[in-house]
Amino acid sequence: DTAVSQTPKYLVTQMGNDKSIKCEQNLGHDTMYWYKQDSKKFLKIMFSYNNKELIINETVPNRFSPKSPDKAHLNLHINSLELGDSAVYFCASSHVTPPSAEQFFGPGTRLTVL
Amino acid sequence: QKEVEQNSGPLSVPEGAIASLNCTYSDRVSQSFFWYRQYSGKSPELIMSIYSNGDKEDGRFTAQLNKASQYVSLLIRDSQPSDSATYLCAALRSFAGGTSYGKLTFGQGTILTVHP
């Protein structure tokens, strides 16, 4: 009965490769997010989708492409991986209900680029 | 100036004491505020949310919000070793027609250690 799940949990790959991370939520939320947490533990939003529509796109390299096939899923594809992409990537989801919209996080995917 | 700034840690308190975590934010449009707890190697876990000025209590946790001062705090009473974690303050700025989906901006986190 996991609320927000991500696969894989760990991803180790070589520079230049392409990889994907998948996220699914069973909370009935209609908004989903991708965050990146760097080595200093700073957590920063990358993308947000509301009901399959992109609503937040921070200054992220276009090597990163999110895709939402339906409102319960948000995947992240990364092309031409670089050393600086090594981080923990968290998926999150929330309702769209003023003024709250608490976000619930998945377990994270630790990406290591060698 | 950082959008959300937390008091620099690490913070160390003895078991049973009150731990006080502070946060300031720069964007006056922010309307909702959250405290997350993150254990090492785990994901952030929501522990408190606050939207109105004043205090909000939930068990051993009390969140305080002062929008005029752009200040949010979290008090943990009767601190336990299991409270040892990184605490993240976050501010939500809504956009797009008054809906609540918006940008959640996090502070850099404060590491709390509760020693027996």
Side-chain angles (χ1 to χ4, degrees), chain A residues 89-111:
Chain A
Y89 292 84
F90 288 102
C91 176
S93 71
S94 73
H95 276 303
V96 177
T97 307
S100 57
E102 290 103 342
Q103 295 184 19
F104 296 89
F105 285 77
T109 296
R110 182 173 294 275
L111 171 65

mmCIF file of all heavy atoms in Angstrom, chain A residues 89-111:
data_model
loop_
_atom_site.group_PDB
_atom_site.id
_atom_site.type_symbol
_atom_site.label_atom_id
_atom_site.label_comp_id
_atom_site.label_asym_id
_atom_site.label_seq_id
_atom_site.Cartn_x
_atom_site.Cartn_y
_atom_site.Cartn_z
ATOM 1 N N TYR A 89 17.052 11.723 -6.659
ATOM 2 C CA TYR A 89 15.885 12.295 -7.313
ATOM 3 C C TYR A 89 14.627 11.795 -6.602
ATOM 4 O O TYR A 89 14.427 10.590 -6.436
ATOM 5 C CB TYR A 89 15.855 11.922 -8.796
ATOM 6 C CG TYR A 89 16.982 12.583 -9.554
ATOM 7 C CD1 TYR A 89 18.262 12.018 -9.583
ATOM 8 C CD2 TYR A 89 16.789 13.791 -10.202
ATOM 9 C CE1 TYR A 89 19.308 12.638 -10.237
ATOM 10 C CE2 TYR A 89 17.833 14.426 -10.873
ATOM 11 C CZ TYR A 89 19.088 13.841 -10.882
ATOM 12 O OH TYR A 89 20.130 14.467 -11.537
ATOM 13 N N PHE A 90 13.812 12.748 -6.167
ATOM 14 C CA PHE A 90 12.575 12.410 -5.466
ATOM 15 C C PHE A 90 11.373 12.793 -6.311
ATOM 16 O O PHE A 90 11.310 13.896 -6.867
ATOM 17 C CB PHE A 90 12.474 13.167 -4.138
ATOM 18 C CG PHE A 90 13.407 12.681 -3.067
ATOM 19 C CD1 PHE A 90 14.568 13.372 -2.781
ATOM 20 C CD2 PHE A 90 13.113 11.527 -2.341
ATOM 21 C CE1 PHE A 90 15.426 12.929 -1.787
ATOM 22 C CE2 PHE A 90 13.968 11.078 -1.348
ATOM 23 C CZ PHE A 90 15.128 11.784 -1.072
ATOM 24 N N CYS A 91 10.422 11.898 -6.334
ATOM 25 C CA CYS A 91 9.116 12.174 -6.911
ATOM 26 C C CYS A 91 8.186 12.532 -5.747
ATOM 27 O O CYS A 91 8.373 12.034 -4.624
ATOM 28 C CB CYS A 91 8.630 10.917 -7.630
ATOM 29 S SG CYS A 91 6.985 11.021 -8.326
ATOM 30 N N ALA A 92 7.219 13.398 -5.993
ATOM 31 C CA ALA A 92 6.251 13.765 -4.963
ATOM 32 C C ALA A 92 4.904 13.978 -5.632
ATOM 33 O O ALA A 92 4.813 14.142 -6.853
ATOM 34 C CB ALA A 92 6.682 15.027 -4.219
ATOM 35 N N SER A 93 3.848 13.975 -4.798
ATOM 36 C CA SER A 93 2.523 14.255 -5.340
ATOM 37 C C SER A 93 1.705 15.022 -4.320
ATOM 38 O O SER A 93 2.022 15.021 -3.118
ATOM 39 C CB SER A 93 1.808 12.958 -5.730
ATOM 40 O OG SER A 93 1.428 12.217 -4.589
ATOM 41 N N SER A 94 0.664 15.692 -4.799
ATOM 42 C CA SER A 94 -0.202 16.453 -3.907
ATOM 43 C C SER A 94 -1.576 16.628 -4.548
ATOM 44 O O SER A 94 -1.759 16.451 -5.747
ATOM 45 C CB SER A 94 0.392 17.830 -3.600
ATOM 46 O OG SER A 94 0.298 18.687 -4.728
ATOM 47 N N HIS A 95 -2.534 17.004 -3.702
ATOM 48 C CA HIS A 95 -3.822 17.474 -4.198
ATOM 49 C C HIS A 95 -3.673 18.924 -4.614
ATOM 50 O O HIS A 95 -2.668 19.570 -4.329
ATOM 51 C CB HIS A 95 -4.869 17.404 -3.088
ATOM 52 C CG HIS A 95 -5.489 16.055 -2.938
ATOM 53 N ND1 HIS A 95 -6.130 15.416 -3.965
ATOM 54 C CD2 HIS A 95 -5.571 15.224 -1.869
ATOM 55 C CE1 HIS A 95 -6.577 14.247 -3.542
ATOM 56 N NE2 HIS A 95 -6.255 14.105 -2.276
ATOM 57 N N VAL A 96 -4.669 19.422 -5.294
ATOM 58 C CA VAL A 96 -4.727 20.842 -5.595
ATOM 59 C C VAL A 96 -5.894 21.401 -4.807
ATOM 60 O O VAL A 96 -7.014 21.464 -5.297
ATOM 61 C CB VAL A 96 -4.922 21.088 -7.105
ATOM 62 C CG1 VAL A 96 -5.044 22.577 -7.398
ATOM 63 C CG2 VAL A 96 -3.783 20.481 -7.883
ATOM 64 N N THR A 97 -5.652 21.731 -3.556
ATOM 65 C CA THR A 97 -6.742 22.179 -2.681
ATOM 66 C C THR A 97 -6.262 23.357 -1.858
ATOM 67 O O THR A 97 -5.463 23.180 -0.957
ATOM 68 C CB THR A 97 -7.161 21.045 -1.713
ATOM 69 O OG1 THR A 97 -7.438 19.874 -2.468
ATOM 70 C CG2 THR A 97 -8.387 21.459 -0.914
ATOM 71 N N PRO A 98 -6.726 24.575 -2.148
ATOM 72 C CA PRO A 98 -6.268 25.721 -1.346
ATOM 73 C C PRO A 98 -6.598 25.535 0.130
ATOM 74 O O PRO A 98 -7.662 24.990 0.442
ATOM 75 C CB PRO A 98 -7.046 26.892 -1.944
ATOM 76 C CG PRO A 98 -7.495 26.432 -3.297
ATOM 77 C CD PRO A 98 -7.678 24.950 -3.168
ATOM 78 N N PRO A 99 -5.820 26.053 1.072
ATOM 79 C CA PRO A 99 -4.467 26.577 0.837
ATOM 80 C C PRO A 99 -3.391 25.552 1.108
ATOM 81 O O PRO A 99 -2.251 25.895 1.305
ATOM 82 C CB PRO A 99 -4.399 27.694 1.871
ATOM 83 C CG PRO A 99 -5.150 27.122 3.039
ATOM 84 C CD PRO A 99 -6.247 26.234 2.457
ATOM 85 N N SER A 100 -3.744 24.313 1.187
ATOM 86 C CA SER A 100 -2.793 23.308 1.676
ATOM 87 C C SER A 100 -1.919 22.752 0.562
ATOM 88 O O SER A 100 -0.922 23.316 0.209
ATOM 89 C CB SER A 100 -3.536 22.205 2.390
ATOM 90 O OG SER A 100 -4.492 21.628 1.522
ATOM 91 N N ALA A 101 -2.327 21.637 -0.027
ATOM 92 C CA ALA A 101 -1.524 20.980 -1.061
ATOM 93 C C ALA A 101 -0.220 20.438 -0.502
ATOM 94 O O ALA A 101 0.846 20.663 -1.071
ATOM 95 C CB ALA A 101 -1.259 21.924 -2.245
ATOM 96 N N GLU A 102 -0.333 19.740 0.656
ATOM 97 C CA GLU A 102 0.866 19.088 1.179
ATOM 98 C C GLU A 102 1.401 18.097 0.165
ATOM 99 O O GLU A 102 0.634 17.356 -0.452
ATOM 100 C CB GLU A 102 0.539 18.330 2.476
ATOM 101 C CG GLU A 102 0.235 19.224 3.660
ATOM 102 C CD GLU A 102 -1.243 19.308 3.972
ATOM 103 O OE1 GLU A 102 -2.055 18.968 3.093
ATOM 104 O OE2 GLU A 102 -1.569 19.719 5.090
ATOM 105 N N GLN A 103 2.690 18.077 0.034
ATOM 106 C CA GLN A 103 3.328 17.175 -0.911
ATOM 107 C C GLN A 103 3.905 15.964 -0.185
ATOM 108 O O GLN A 103 4.516 16.101 0.876
ATOM 109 C CB GLN A 103 4.435 17.904 -1.674
ATOM 110 C CG GLN A 103 3.877 19.021 -2.549
ATOM 111 C CD GLN A 103 4.920 19.698 -3.401
ATOM 112 O OE1 GLN A 103 6.002 19.161 -3.628
ATOM 113 N NE2 GLN A 103 4.599 20.884 -3.893
ATOM 114 N N PHE A 104 3.688 14.802 -0.778
ATOM 115 C CA PHE A 104 4.167 13.549 -0.204
ATOM 116 C C PHE A 104 5.223 12.970 -1.139
ATOM 117 O O PHE A 104 5.011 12.891 -2.351
ATOM 118 C CB PHE A 104 3.001 12.580 -0.010
ATOM 119 C CG PHE A 104 1.993 13.086 0.982
ATOM 120 C CD1 PHE A 104 0.936 13.880 0.568
ATOM 121 C CD2 PHE A 104 2.129 12.807 2.329
ATOM 122 C CE1 PHE A 104 0.019 14.384 1.475
ATOM 123 C CE2 PHE A 104 1.207 13.297 3.249
ATOM 124 C CZ PHE A 104 0.161 14.094 2.817
ATOM 125 N N PHE A 105 6.327 12.557 -0.540
ATOM 126 C CA PHE A 105 7.490 12.164 -1.322
ATOM 127 C C PHE A 105 7.631 10.654 -1.454
ATOM 128 O O PHE A 105 7.270 9.900 -0.546
ATOM 129 C CB PHE A 105 8.767 12.720 -0.675
ATOM 130 C CG PHE A 105 8.947 14.185 -0.903
ATOM 131 C CD1 PHE A 105 8.214 15.120 -0.181
ATOM 132 C CD2 PHE A 105 9.835 14.641 -1.866
ATOM 133 C CE1 PHE A 105 8.372 16.480 -0.407
ATOM 134 C CE2 PHE A 105 10.001 15.996 -2.089
ATOM 135 C CZ PHE A 105 9.273 16.916 -1.366
ATOM 136 N N GLY A 106 8.184 10.243 -2.596
ATOM 137 C CA GLY A 106 8.566 8.860 -2.790
ATOM 138 C C GLY A 106 9.892 8.584 -2.095
ATOM 139 O O GLY A 106 10.508 9.492 -1.531
ATOM 140 N N PRO A 107 10.358 7.331 -2.150
ATOM 141 C CA PRO A 107 11.568 6.937 -1.420
ATOM 142 C C PRO A 107 12.871 7.447 -2.032
ATOM 143 O O PRO A 107 13.913 7.384 -1.387
ATOM 144 C CB PRO A 107 11.518 5.411 -1.467
ATOM 145 C CG PRO A 107 10.713 5.109 -2.686
ATOM 146 C CD PRO A 107 9.707 6.210 -2.815
ATOM 147 N N GLY A 108 12.818 7.959 -3.249
ATOM 148 C CA GLY A 108 14.021 8.499 -3.863
ATOM 149 C C GLY A 108 14.742 7.500 -4.749
ATOM 150 O O GLY A 108 14.648 6.283 -4.546
ATOM 151 N N THR A 109 15.454 8.018 -5.731
ATOM 152 C CA THR A 109 16.320 7.225 -6.596
ATOM 153 C C THR A 109 17.708 7.849 -6.539
ATOM 154 O O THR A 109 17.888 9.019 -6.887
ATOM 155 C CB THR A 109 15.822 7.228 -8.056
ATOM 156 O OG1 THR A 109 14.545 6.587 -8.112
ATOM 157 C CG2 THR A 109 16.813 6.516 -8.971
ATOM 158 N N ARG A 110 18.657 7.074 -6.057
ATOM 159 C CA ARG A 110 20.040 7.579 -5.965
ATOM 160 C C ARG A 110 20.746 7.274 -7.274
ATOM 161 O O ARG A 110 20.985 6.109 -7.596
ATOM 162 C CB ARG A 110 20.779 6.945 -4.792
ATOM 163 C CG ARG A 110 22.207 7.475 -4.635
ATOM 164 C CD ARG A 110 22.869 6.950 -3.359
ATOM 165 N NE ARG A 110 22.227 7.452 -2.167
ATOM 166 C CZ ARG A 110 22.493 8.611 -1.585
ATOM 167 N NH1 ARG A 110 23.405 9.416 -2.127
ATOM 168 N NH2 ARG A 110 21.888 8.961 -0.483
ATOM 169 N N LEU A 111 21.038 8.339 -8.020
ATOM 170 C CA LEU A 111 21.709 8.203 -9.314
ATOM 171 C C LEU A 111 23.184 8.518 -9.155
ATOM 172 O O LEU A 111 23.553 9.573 -8.642
ATOM 173 C CB LEU A 111 21.078 9.160 -10.333
ATOM 174 C CG LEU A 111 21.785 9.302 -11.673
ATOM 175 C CD1 LEU A 111 21.762 7.986 -12.443
ATOM 176 C CD2 LEU A 111 21.148 10.414 -12.500
#
